[in-house]
Amino acid sequence: MIWNEHYECMPRESLKKLQDERLKKTVERVYYNVEFYRRKMQALGLEPGDINGIDDIHKLPFTTKDDLRDNYPFGLFATPLENVTRLHASSGTTGKPTIVGYTRHDIEIFSEVVARSLSAAGIGKNDILQNAYGYGLFTGGLGIHYGAEKLGVTVVPISAGNTKKQVQFLQDFGTTAMSLTPSYALYLAETLEEMDIDPKSLNLKVGIFGAEPWTENMRKEIEKRLDIKAIDIYGLSEIIGPGVSIECMEQNGLHIFEDHFFPETINPKTLEPTAKGEEGELVFTTLTKEALPLIRYRTRDLTTLNYEACACGRTTVRMKKCTGRSDDMLIIRGVNVFPSQVESVLLELGETSPHYMLIVDRINNLDTLEVLVEVDEKIFSDEIRHLETLTKKISYTLESTLNISVKVKLVEPQTIARSEGKAKRVIDNRKFKEEQ
Ligand code: DLL
Protein backbone atom coordinates (compact mmCIF):
# COMPACT_ATOMS: atom_id res chain seq x y z
CA MET A 1 0.00 0.00 0.00
CA ILE A 2 1.12 3.56 -0.67
CA TRP A 3 0.83 5.50 2.59
CA ASN A 4 1.06 9.00 1.12
CA GLU A 5 0.18 8.86 -2.54
CA HIS A 6 0.27 12.63 -2.93
CA TYR A 7 3.99 12.83 -2.18
CA GLU A 8 5.17 9.36 -3.14
CA CYS A 9 3.58 9.43 -6.61
CA MET A 10 3.92 13.13 -7.37
CA PRO A 11 4.68 14.03 -11.01
CA ARG A 12 8.42 14.76 -11.09
CA GLU A 13 7.96 18.38 -12.28
CA SER A 14 5.78 19.14 -9.26
CA LEU A 15 8.25 17.37 -7.00
CA LYS A 16 11.05 19.53 -8.38
CA LYS A 17 9.04 22.71 -7.64
CA LEU A 18 8.43 21.52 -4.10
CA GLN A 19 12.13 20.72 -3.64
CA ASP A 20 13.10 24.15 -5.03
CA GLU A 21 10.90 25.89 -2.48
CA ARG A 22 11.99 23.70 0.40
CA LEU A 23 15.68 24.04 -0.43
CA LYS A 24 15.43 27.83 -0.44
CA LYS A 25 13.80 27.76 3.00
CA THR A 26 16.42 25.34 4.35
CA VAL A 27 19.28 27.49 3.08
CA GLU A 28 17.76 30.55 4.75
CA ARG A 29 17.28 28.59 7.93
CA VAL A 30 20.89 27.48 8.16
CA TYR A 31 22.32 30.82 7.05
CA TYR A 32 20.50 32.78 9.70
CA ASN A 33 20.65 30.22 12.51
CA VAL A 34 23.87 28.20 12.21
CA GLU A 35 27.15 30.08 12.40
CA PHE A 36 29.03 27.19 10.81
CA TYR A 37 26.95 27.41 7.62
CA ARG A 38 26.89 31.19 7.54
CA ARG A 39 30.68 31.26 7.65
CA LYS A 40 31.05 28.53 5.04
CA MET A 41 28.66 30.29 2.70
CA GLN A 42 30.30 33.66 3.27
CA ALA A 43 33.69 32.13 2.48
CA LEU A 44 32.23 31.08 -0.86
CA GLY A 45 30.70 34.52 -1.40
CA LEU A 46 27.19 33.07 -1.17
CA GLU A 47 24.03 34.53 0.28
CA PRO A 48 20.67 32.78 0.58
CA GLY A 49 19.36 34.82 -2.37
CA ASP A 50 21.93 33.11 -4.64
CA ILE A 51 20.14 29.79 -4.23
CA ASN A 52 16.99 29.76 -6.31
CA GLY A 53 16.36 26.05 -6.28
CA ILE A 54 17.80 22.60 -6.72
CA ASP A 55 19.71 23.62 -9.87
CA ASP A 56 21.90 25.80 -7.64
CA ILE A 57 22.61 23.10 -5.07
CA HIS A 58 26.11 22.46 -6.40
CA LYS A 59 27.10 25.97 -5.31
CA LEU A 60 26.58 25.01 -1.67
CA PRO A 61 29.33 23.58 0.55
CA PHE A 62 29.44 19.95 1.69
CA THR A 63 28.99 18.84 5.31
CA THR A 64 30.88 15.89 6.80
CA LYS A 65 30.73 13.78 9.93
CA ASP A 66 33.84 15.63 11.14
CA ASP A 67 31.91 18.91 10.94
CA LEU A 68 29.33 17.42 13.30
CA ARG A 69 32.07 16.17 15.62
CA ASP A 70 33.89 19.52 15.58
CA ASN A 71 30.66 21.20 16.62
CA TYR A 72 29.82 18.63 19.29
CA PRO A 73 27.30 18.39 20.80
CA PHE A 74 24.75 20.97 19.55
CA GLY A 75 26.78 23.39 17.42
CA LEU A 76 24.95 22.67 14.15
CA PHE A 77 21.46 22.91 15.62
CA ALA A 78 19.35 25.53 13.91
CA THR A 79 17.00 26.02 16.80
CA PRO A 80 17.34 26.75 20.54
CA LEU A 81 17.31 23.64 22.72
CA GLU A 82 13.93 24.58 24.16
CA ASN A 83 12.43 23.51 20.81
CA VAL A 84 14.31 20.22 20.69
CA THR A 85 12.20 17.35 21.98
CA ARG A 86 14.56 14.44 21.40
CA LEU A 87 18.25 13.65 21.00
CA HIS A 88 19.83 10.55 19.47
CA ALA A 89 23.48 9.67 19.02
CA SER A 90 25.38 7.67 16.50
CA SER A 91 28.53 6.08 17.79
CA GLY A 92 31.32 5.99 15.28
CA THR A 93 34.26 3.63 15.55
CA THR A 94 36.47 6.42 16.84
CA GLY A 95 36.10 9.70 18.66
CA LYS A 96 33.06 11.41 20.05
CA PRO A 97 29.57 10.28 19.11
CA THR A 98 27.56 12.39 16.70
CA ILE A 99 24.57 14.00 18.38
CA VAL A 100 21.40 14.61 16.41
CA GLY A 101 18.32 16.53 17.56
CA TYR A 102 14.66 16.68 16.57
CA THR A 103 11.89 19.21 17.10
CA ARG A 104 8.35 17.96 17.54
CA HIS A 105 7.82 18.59 13.83
CA ASP A 106 10.98 16.63 12.96
CA ILE A 107 9.64 13.67 14.93
CA GLU A 108 6.40 14.01 12.96
CA ILE A 109 8.38 13.79 9.69
CA PHE A 110 10.42 10.88 11.02
CA SER A 111 7.23 9.00 11.88
CA GLU A 112 5.75 9.85 8.48
CA VAL A 113 8.69 8.47 6.49
CA VAL A 114 8.82 5.32 8.62
CA ALA A 115 5.04 4.84 8.19
CA ARG A 116 5.56 5.18 4.42
CA SER A 117 8.43 2.68 4.62
CA LEU A 118 6.55 0.01 6.54
CA SER A 119 3.59 0.48 4.26
CA ALA A 120 5.81 0.02 1.17
CA ALA A 121 6.91 -3.29 2.69
CA GLY A 122 3.29 -4.41 2.80
CA ILE A 123 2.81 -3.85 6.53
CA GLY A 124 -0.49 -2.43 7.78
CA LYS A 125 -2.95 -2.14 10.65
CA ASN A 126 -3.52 -5.85 10.89
CA ASP A 127 0.12 -6.66 11.43
CA ILE A 128 2.03 -7.32 14.62
CA LEU A 129 5.51 -5.86 14.30
CA GLN A 130 8.22 -7.09 16.62
CA ASN A 131 10.75 -4.27 16.62
CA ALA A 132 14.13 -5.78 17.41
CA TYR A 133 16.24 -2.71 16.65
CA GLY A 134 17.90 -1.37 19.79
CA TYR A 135 15.88 1.20 21.72
CA GLY A 136 17.90 4.05 23.16
CA LEU A 137 20.34 6.44 21.57
CA PHE A 138 20.32 4.41 18.32
CA THR A 139 17.65 5.76 15.94
CA GLY A 140 16.50 2.28 14.86
CA GLY A 141 14.32 1.39 17.87
CA LEU A 142 12.35 4.55 18.56
CA GLY A 143 12.38 5.59 14.89
CA ILE A 144 10.64 2.44 13.70
CA HIS A 145 8.40 2.47 16.78
CA TYR A 146 6.87 5.90 16.16
CA GLY A 147 6.34 5.18 12.47
CA ALA A 148 4.67 1.86 13.26
CA GLU A 149 2.33 3.55 15.74
CA LYS A 150 1.44 6.20 13.18
CA LEU A 151 0.57 3.44 10.72
CA GLY A 152 -1.59 1.74 13.33
CA VAL A 153 0.43 -1.45 13.48
CA THR A 154 0.52 -3.40 16.74
CA VAL A 155 4.11 -2.76 17.72
CA VAL A 156 6.03 -4.90 20.19
CA PRO A 157 8.93 -2.79 21.54
CA ILE A 158 11.13 -5.75 22.41
CA SER A 159 14.40 -4.05 21.34
CA ALA A 160 17.52 -6.00 20.32
CA GLY A 161 18.72 -9.11 22.11
CA ASN A 162 17.01 -11.61 24.37
CA THR A 163 16.77 -13.97 21.44
CA LYS A 164 14.86 -16.77 23.18
CA LYS A 165 12.18 -14.27 24.20
CA GLN A 166 12.06 -13.02 20.60
CA VAL A 167 11.26 -16.58 19.55
CA GLN A 168 8.69 -17.04 22.30
CA PHE A 169 6.84 -13.86 21.23
CA LEU A 170 7.05 -14.85 17.56
CA GLN A 171 5.19 -18.00 18.53
CA ASP A 172 2.82 -16.70 21.21
CA PHE A 173 1.81 -13.40 19.58
CA GLY A 174 1.73 -14.71 16.01
CA THR A 175 4.05 -11.85 15.02
CA THR A 176 3.73 -11.14 11.28
CA ALA A 177 6.58 -8.66 10.76
CA MET A 178 9.96 -7.99 12.32
CA SER A 179 12.47 -5.18 12.10
CA LEU A 180 16.13 -5.94 12.90
CA THR A 181 19.61 -5.91 11.44
CA PRO A 182 20.35 -8.62 8.84
CA SER A 183 23.13 -10.01 11.02
CA TYR A 184 20.74 -10.35 13.95
CA ALA A 185 18.27 -12.08 11.62
CA LEU A 186 20.90 -14.74 10.93
CA TYR A 187 21.39 -15.26 14.64
CA LEU A 188 17.63 -15.53 15.09
CA ALA A 189 17.40 -18.10 12.29
CA GLU A 190 20.14 -20.10 13.95
CA THR A 191 18.32 -19.95 17.30
CA LEU A 192 15.12 -21.23 15.68
CA GLU A 193 17.08 -24.15 14.20
CA GLU A 194 18.65 -24.94 17.56
CA MET A 195 15.22 -24.90 19.19
CA ASP A 196 13.95 -27.14 16.40
CA ILE A 197 11.26 -24.66 15.36
CA ASP A 198 10.24 -24.69 11.73
CA PRO A 199 9.86 -21.06 10.52
CA LYS A 200 6.89 -22.28 8.45
CA SER A 201 5.06 -22.89 11.73
CA LEU A 202 5.29 -19.13 12.48
CA ASN A 203 3.13 -16.30 11.08
CA LEU A 204 6.14 -14.19 10.17
CA LYS A 205 5.89 -12.96 6.57
CA VAL A 206 8.16 -9.95 6.21
CA GLY A 207 11.35 -8.53 7.73
CA ILE A 208 12.60 -4.93 7.57
CA PHE A 209 16.36 -5.12 7.46
CA GLY A 210 18.90 -2.33 7.54
CA ALA A 211 21.44 -0.35 9.56
CA GLU A 212 24.34 -2.26 7.99
CA PRO A 213 25.36 -3.42 4.51
CA TRP A 214 24.07 -6.80 3.36
CA THR A 215 24.36 -8.50 0.01
CA GLU A 216 21.78 -10.00 -2.36
CA ASN A 217 23.09 -13.42 -1.39
CA MET A 218 22.48 -12.61 2.26
CA ARG A 219 18.93 -11.64 1.31
CA LYS A 220 18.39 -15.07 -0.29
CA GLU A 221 19.83 -16.78 2.77
CA ILE A 222 17.58 -14.88 5.20
CA GLU A 223 14.48 -15.32 3.04
CA LYS A 224 15.10 -19.03 2.87
CA ARG A 225 15.97 -19.62 6.49
CA LEU A 226 13.18 -17.50 7.97
CA ASP A 227 10.68 -18.18 5.18
CA ILE A 228 9.88 -14.48 4.75
CA LYS A 229 10.27 -11.60 2.33
CA ALA A 230 13.34 -9.55 3.26
CA ILE A 231 12.98 -5.81 2.60
CA ASP A 232 15.90 -3.39 2.71
CA ILE A 233 15.49 -0.15 4.69
CA TYR A 234 18.18 2.52 4.67
CA GLY A 235 18.86 5.58 6.74
CA LEU A 236 21.34 7.43 8.86
CA SER A 237 21.02 9.38 12.09
CA GLU A 238 22.38 12.61 10.65
CA ILE A 239 19.64 12.75 8.03
CA ILE A 240 16.85 11.41 10.31
CA GLY A 241 17.38 7.68 11.05
CA PRO A 242 15.68 4.70 9.35
CA GLY A 243 13.20 5.68 6.64
CA VAL A 244 15.36 7.78 4.34
CA SER A 245 14.61 5.10 1.75
CA ILE A 246 13.04 1.66 1.49
CA GLU A 247 12.41 -1.05 -1.08
CA CYS A 248 8.89 -1.58 -2.27
CA MET A 249 7.54 -5.07 -2.94
CA GLU A 250 9.37 -5.06 -6.30
CA GLN A 251 12.64 -5.34 -4.31
CA ASN A 252 14.44 -3.48 -7.04
CA GLY A 253 16.08 -0.44 -5.49
CA LEU A 254 15.16 1.70 -2.50
CA HIS A 255 12.73 4.60 -2.98
CA ILE A 256 14.12 7.78 -1.45
CA PHE A 257 11.55 10.06 0.19
CA GLU A 258 12.67 12.95 -1.96
CA ASP A 259 10.16 15.48 -0.68
CA HIS A 260 12.20 15.46 2.57
CA PHE A 261 15.71 14.35 1.56
CA PHE A 262 17.37 15.48 -1.67
CA PRO A 263 19.95 12.98 -2.95
CA GLU A 264 23.01 13.45 -5.17
CA THR A 265 25.88 11.11 -5.97
CA ILE A 266 29.40 12.45 -6.26
CA ASN A 267 32.83 11.16 -7.05
CA PRO A 268 34.40 11.02 -3.57
CA LYS A 269 37.78 12.13 -4.90
CA THR A 270 36.88 15.01 -7.21
CA LEU A 271 33.60 15.84 -5.41
CA GLU A 272 32.02 16.32 -8.85
CA PRO A 273 28.56 14.84 -9.55
CA THR A 274 28.73 11.37 -11.10
CA ALA A 275 27.32 10.76 -14.55
CA LYS A 276 23.78 9.36 -14.82
CA GLY A 277 23.69 5.71 -13.81
CA GLU A 278 27.23 5.79 -12.41
CA GLU A 279 28.05 4.72 -8.85
CA GLY A 280 29.09 7.42 -6.42
CA GLU A 281 29.03 8.59 -2.83
CA LEU A 282 25.54 9.41 -1.69
CA VAL A 283 25.04 13.01 -0.50
CA PHE A 284 21.85 14.28 1.12
CA THR A 285 20.37 17.69 1.76
CA THR A 286 17.48 17.71 4.20
CA LEU A 287 14.54 19.76 2.91
CA THR A 288 12.24 19.97 5.91
CA LYS A 289 14.27 19.37 9.05
CA GLU A 290 14.13 22.06 11.73
CA ALA A 291 16.56 21.12 14.51
CA LEU A 292 19.42 19.76 12.43
CA PRO A 293 19.08 20.72 8.78
CA LEU A 294 22.11 19.48 6.85
CA ILE A 295 23.37 20.75 3.53
CA ARG A 296 25.00 18.27 1.14
CA TYR A 297 25.89 15.79 3.87
CA ARG A 298 28.45 13.24 2.67
CA THR A 299 27.19 9.82 3.78
CA ARG A 300 30.26 7.80 2.60
CA ASP A 301 27.75 5.21 1.34
CA LEU A 302 28.23 4.13 -2.25
CA THR A 303 25.26 3.68 -4.57
CA THR A 304 23.71 4.45 -7.95
CA LEU A 305 20.54 6.51 -8.45
CA ASN A 306 17.84 5.32 -10.81
CA TYR A 307 15.18 7.80 -11.97
CA GLU A 308 13.19 5.31 -14.08
CA ALA A 309 9.55 4.82 -13.12
CA CYS A 310 8.88 1.87 -10.84
CA ALA A 311 6.12 -0.68 -11.39
CA CYS A 312 4.76 0.08 -7.90
CA GLY A 313 3.56 3.53 -9.03
CA ARG A 314 5.92 5.62 -6.88
CA THR A 315 7.70 8.33 -8.87
CA THR A 316 10.56 8.80 -6.43
CA VAL A 317 14.16 8.04 -7.35
CA ARG A 318 15.52 4.65 -6.31
CA MET A 319 18.98 4.01 -4.89
CA LYS A 320 20.67 0.71 -5.52
CA LYS A 321 21.17 -1.54 -2.51
CA CYS A 322 24.24 -0.19 -0.66
CA THR A 323 26.78 -2.90 -0.18
CA GLY A 324 29.62 -0.77 1.03
CA ARG A 325 30.82 2.50 2.41
CA SER A 326 33.86 4.26 1.04
CA ASP A 327 35.40 4.07 4.52
CA ASP A 328 34.61 0.31 4.83
CA MET A 329 36.83 -0.25 1.87
CA LEU A 330 40.05 -1.94 2.82
CA ILE A 331 43.12 -1.26 0.79
CA ILE A 332 45.19 -4.40 0.92
CA ARG A 333 48.43 -4.31 -0.97
CA GLY A 334 46.98 -1.49 -3.04
CA VAL A 335 43.88 -3.48 -3.98
CA ASN A 336 40.41 -2.27 -2.94
CA VAL A 337 38.51 -4.89 -0.99
CA PHE A 338 34.96 -4.63 0.36
CA PRO A 339 33.87 -7.03 3.11
CA SER A 340 30.63 -7.53 1.15
CA GLN A 341 32.63 -9.23 -1.63
CA VAL A 342 33.71 -11.89 0.84
CA GLU A 343 30.14 -12.34 2.06
CA SER A 344 28.88 -12.75 -1.47
CA VAL A 345 31.47 -15.41 -2.34
CA LEU A 346 30.87 -17.45 0.82
CA LEU A 347 27.11 -17.49 0.40
CA GLU A 348 27.42 -18.27 -3.29
CA LEU A 349 29.55 -21.31 -2.51
CA GLY A 350 27.05 -22.24 0.16
CA GLU A 351 29.24 -24.83 1.86
CA THR A 352 29.92 -22.94 5.07
CA SER A 353 27.88 -20.96 7.55
CA PRO A 354 27.34 -17.26 6.71
CA HIS A 355 29.46 -16.22 9.71
CA TYR A 356 32.85 -14.80 8.81
CA MET A 357 35.51 -12.35 9.92
CA LEU A 358 38.23 -10.54 8.00
CA ILE A 359 41.55 -10.05 9.75
CA VAL A 360 43.90 -7.62 8.09
CA ASP A 361 47.47 -7.25 9.27
CA ARG A 362 50.87 -5.97 8.21
CA ILE A 363 53.64 -8.51 8.55
CA ASN A 364 57.18 -7.64 7.42
CA ASN A 365 55.78 -4.56 5.73
CA LEU A 366 53.35 -6.60 3.68
CA ASP A 367 49.57 -6.44 4.08
CA THR A 368 47.88 -9.77 4.74
CA LEU A 369 44.24 -10.83 4.67
CA GLU A 370 42.99 -13.77 6.62
CA VAL A 371 39.36 -14.83 6.40
CA LEU A 372 37.91 -16.90 9.23
CA VAL A 373 34.90 -18.90 8.13
CA GLU A 374 32.70 -20.92 10.40
CA VAL A 375 31.69 -24.39 9.31
CA ASP A 376 29.09 -26.66 10.86
CA GLU A 377 29.77 -29.52 13.23
CA LYS A 378 29.47 -32.12 10.50
CA ILE A 379 32.07 -30.55 8.23
CA PHE A 380 34.34 -29.74 11.13
CA SER A 381 34.49 -33.35 12.22
CA ASP A 382 35.12 -34.50 8.64
CA GLU A 383 38.38 -35.94 7.43
CA ILE A 384 41.30 -33.50 7.25
CA ARG A 385 41.47 -34.07 3.52
CA HIS A 386 37.94 -32.81 3.04
CA LEU A 387 38.61 -29.72 5.16
CA GLU A 388 41.72 -29.00 3.12
CA THR A 389 39.81 -29.27 -0.13
CA LEU A 390 37.13 -26.89 1.14
CA THR A 391 39.75 -24.41 2.38
CA LYS A 392 41.45 -24.46 -1.02
CA LYS A 393 38.18 -24.01 -2.86
CA ILE A 394 37.25 -20.97 -0.76
CA SER A 395 40.72 -19.39 -1.08
CA TYR A 396 40.74 -19.97 -4.81
CA THR A 397 37.32 -18.34 -5.29
CA LEU A 398 38.13 -15.44 -2.97
CA GLU A 399 41.47 -14.85 -4.66
CA SER A 400 39.98 -14.77 -8.11
CA THR A 401 37.26 -12.36 -6.96
CA LEU A 402 39.45 -10.05 -4.89
CA ASN A 403 42.67 -10.31 -6.90
CA ILE A 404 44.87 -10.70 -3.84
CA SER A 405 46.09 -13.73 -1.94
CA VAL A 406 43.89 -14.72 0.96
CA LYS A 407 44.54 -17.10 3.82
CA VAL A 408 41.37 -18.98 4.69
CA LYS A 409 40.90 -20.59 8.06
CA LEU A 410 37.89 -22.78 8.81
CA VAL A 411 36.78 -22.40 12.40
CA GLU A 412 34.49 -24.37 14.69
CA PRO A 413 30.78 -23.61 15.03
CA GLN A 414 30.00 -20.65 17.32
CA THR A 415 33.58 -19.27 17.28
CA ILE A 416 32.61 -16.05 15.55
CA ALA A 417 30.66 -13.64 17.77
CA ARG A 418 26.97 -13.31 16.87
CA SER A 419 25.51 -9.85 16.50
CA GLU A 420 22.31 -8.38 17.91
CA GLY A 421 22.90 -5.04 16.22
CA LYS A 422 25.42 -3.92 13.65
CA ALA A 423 27.88 -6.74 12.95
CA LYS A 424 31.62 -6.19 13.21
CA ARG A 425 33.23 -8.22 10.46
CA VAL A 426 36.68 -6.68 10.10
CA ILE A 427 39.62 -6.50 12.45
CA ASP A 428 42.31 -4.30 10.97
CA ASN A 429 45.43 -4.78 13.07
CA ARG A 430 47.32 -2.33 10.86
CA LYS A 431 45.46 0.59 12.43
CA PHE A 432 46.36 -0.68 15.87
CA LYS A 433 50.02 -0.94 14.88
CA GLU A 434 50.02 2.58 13.44
CA GLU A 435 48.65 3.94 16.71
CA GLN A 436 51.43 2.28 18.76
O1 DLL B 1 21.67 2.70 11.06
C1 DLL B 1 19.66 4.01 10.90
C2 DLL B 1 18.89 2.78 10.60
C3 DLL B 1 18.28 2.07 11.61
C4 DLL B 1 18.72 2.37 9.27
C5 DLL B 1 17.54 0.93 11.31
C6 DLL B 1 17.98 1.24 8.97
C7 DLL B 1 17.39 0.53 9.99
P1 DLL B 1 23.33 5.05 11.86
O2 DLL B 1 23.56 4.26 13.07
O3 DLL B 1 23.59 6.52 11.89
O4 DLL B 1 21.81 4.95 11.44
O5 DLL B 1 24.14 4.38 10.69
C8 DLL B 1 24.01 4.86 9.37
O6 DLL B 1 24.48 2.65 8.48
O7 DLL B 1 25.42 5.55 6.64
C9 DLL B 1 25.09 3.15 6.28
O8 DLL B 1 26.50 3.07 6.19
C10 DLL B 1 24.58 2.06 7.19
N1 DLL B 1 23.26 1.60 6.74
C11 DLL B 1 22.06 1.91 7.23
N2 DLL B 1 21.09 1.24 6.55
C12 DLL B 1 21.72 0.50 5.61
C13 DLL B 1 21.28 -0.40 4.60
C14 DLL B 1 21.13 3.79 11.14
N3 DLL B 1 20.00 -0.71 4.43
C15 DLL B 1 24.86 4.03 8.43
N4 DLL B 1 22.23 -0.95 3.80
C16 DLL B 1 24.67 4.42 6.99
C17 DLL B 1 23.53 -0.65 3.95
C18 DLL B 1 23.09 0.74 5.72
N5 DLL B 1 23.99 0.16 4.90
Side-chain angles (χ1 to χ4, degrees):
M1 200 200 101
I2 300 180
W3 172 254
N4 195 331
E5 218 171 303
H6 177 71
Y7 288 109
E8 295 180 70
C9 304
M10 205 175 224
R12 290 207 62 86
E13 314 82 74
S14 320
L15 179 63
K16 163 95 174 30
K17 281 201 191 112
L18 182 76
Q19 291 173 327
D20 286 342
E21 285 314 307
R22 289 183 169 178
L23 177 67
K24 283 196 275 182
K25 280 207 185 116
T26 300
V27 169
E28 274 171 22
R29 185 169 186 86
V30 297
Y31 188 88
Y32 294 112
N33 295 288
V34 187
E35 199 189 333
F36 165 84
Y37 279 121
R38 191 167 46 249
R39 287 208 176 152
K40 274 208 151 187
M41 283 179 62
Q42 282 169 346
L44 292 166
L46 278 180
E47 281 185 8
D50 296 324
I51 307 299
N52 289 310
I54 294 294
D55 294 339
D56 293 325
I57 202 163
H58 63 273
K59 296 182 183 165
L60 291 164
F62 290 104
T63 313
T64 63
K65 198 167 185 96
D66 279 343
D67 294 330
L68 279 156
R69 289 217 176 97
D70 293 346
N71 290 284
Y72 174 90
F74 309 137
L76 295 194
F77 285 12
T79 193
L81 268 188
E82 65 189 47
N83 298 325
V84 174
T85 51
R86 197 196 291 173
L87 297 175
H88 278 290
S90 135
S91 53
T93 35
T94 50
K96 286 185 199 139
T98 309
I99 308 300
V100 298
Y102 305 76
T103 61
R104 204 175 291 285
H105 185 251
D106 292 335
I107 295 290
E108 195 35 57
I109 291 166
F110 195 2
S111 312
E112 161 75 20
V113 292
V114 171
R116 289 185 196 176
S117 302
L118 298 176
S119 191
I123 298 172
K125 272 188 163 108
N126 294 326
D127 282 293
I128 301 180
L129 174 78
Q130 205 162 307
N131 184 19
Y133 284 119
Y135 279 65
L137 287 173
F138 176 50
T139 52
L142 283 172
I144 296 284
H145 185 102
Y146 272 57
E149 281 192 350
K150 188 174 174 79
L151 187 59
V153 173
T154 309
V155 51
V156 184
I158 187 163
S159 193
N162 221 337
T163 312
K164 292 257 160 69
K165 182 162 272 163
Q166 301 274 359
V167 173
Q168 186 192 339
F169 286 177
L170 284 176
Q171 289 186 306
D172 296 353
F173 297 175
T175 301
T176 53
M178 264 191 105
S179 37
L180 66 169
T181 59
S183 55
Y184 190 32
L186 272 186
Y187 182 16
L188 180 74
E190 192 173 58
T191 308
L192 284 173
E193 284 152 24
E194 274 165 21
M195 294 169 79
D196 215 11
I197 296 169
D198 180 357
K200 288 201 167 54
S201 69
L202 303 172
N203 278 346
L204 200 59
K205 58 171 193 197
V206 61
I208 310 294
F209 301 103
E212 62 184 4
W214 54 306
T215 58
E216 276 304 330
N217 281 337
M218 183 64 94
R219 187 206 305 271
K220 284 187 211 142
E221 175 85 11
I222 293 174
E223 291 195 330
K224 186 175 80 196
R225 287 175 64 183
L226 287 176
D227 191 36
I228 55 169
K229 203 168 171 82
I231 297 286
D232 194 357
I233 186 167
Y234 168 90
L236 61 163
S237 322
E238 294 84 347
I239 298 305
I240 204 148
V244 171
S245 66
I246 182 112
E247 280 176 339
C248 61
M249 299 300 260
E250 303 288 321
Q251 290 176 303
N252 185 16
L254 292 82
H255 289 274
I256 298 176
F257 297 118
E258 277 180 280
D259 49 325
H260 295 293
F261 319 113
F262 182 79
E264 301 169 77
T265 47
I266 58 160
N267 176 323
K269 291 210 180 84
T270 63
L271 307 185
E272 288 300 319
T274 52
K276 222 175 164 190
E278 197 188 306
E279 186 182 77
E281 179 183 331
L282 188 58
V283 169
F284 278 111
T285 300
T286 64
L287 297 176
T288 49
K289 287 251 305 282
E290 291 179 341
L292 184 61
L294 291 181
I295 303 289
R296 306 190 84 195
Y297 182 70
R298 293 187 56 187
T299 65
R300 305 280 165 185
D301 295 317
L302 301 171
T303 191
T304 312
L305 297 176
N306 173 7
Y307 287 88
E308 277 166 33
C310 178
C312 73
R314 288 177 183 80
T315 49
T316 44
V317 62
R318 280 171 288 162
M319 56 184 261
K320 212 165 152 189
K321 193 167 185 20
C322 273
T323 46
R325 293 172 55 81
S326 54
D327 47 8
D328 263 2
M329 188 178 81
L330 296 160
I331 303 182
I332 303 175
R333 262 171 275 151
V335 179
N336 300 348
V337 173
F338 284 99
S340 59
Q341 292 175 293
V342 173
E343 175 174 306
S344 205
V345 164
L346 294 176
L347 287 161
E348 191 74 43
L349 287 173
E351 293 187 45
T352 61
S353 83
H355 302 284
Y356 63 93
M357 179 71 90
L358 276 68
I359 301 179
V360 188
D361 212 331
R362 182 164 292 145
I363 296 168
N364 297 332
N365 279 324
L366 204 65
D367 295 341
T368 58
L369 170 64
E370 182 175 33
V371 178
L372 308 185
V373 190
E374 226 181 78
V375 288
D376 64 22
E377 205 64 69
K378 197 181 136 291
I379 298 186
F380 205 76
S381 53
D382 251 354
E383 286 173 39
I384 299 260
R385 195 159 42 87
H386 184 194
L387 287 177
E388 277 174 0
T389 319
L390 182 57
T391 308
K392 275 201 191 125
K393 186 170 167 187
I394 298 173
S395 338
Y396 175 78
T397 324
L398 280 176
E399 282 174 7
S400 52
T401 307
L402 306 178
N403 292 318
I404 49 163
S405 63
V406 183
K407 186 174 167 212
V408 171
K409 189 171 166 196
L410 302 182
V411 296
E412 280 184 67
Q414 303 298 331
T415 349
I416 292 171
R418 300 298 186 255
S419 149
E420 293 172 351
K422 295 181 192 252
K424 181 170 167 37
R425 295 204 170 97
V426 179
I427 298 176
D428 194 340
N429 291 323
R430 296 177 302 184
K431 282 194 191 142
F432 180 67
K433 285 182 179 163
E434 275 160 19
E435 281 160 16
Q436 296 265 297

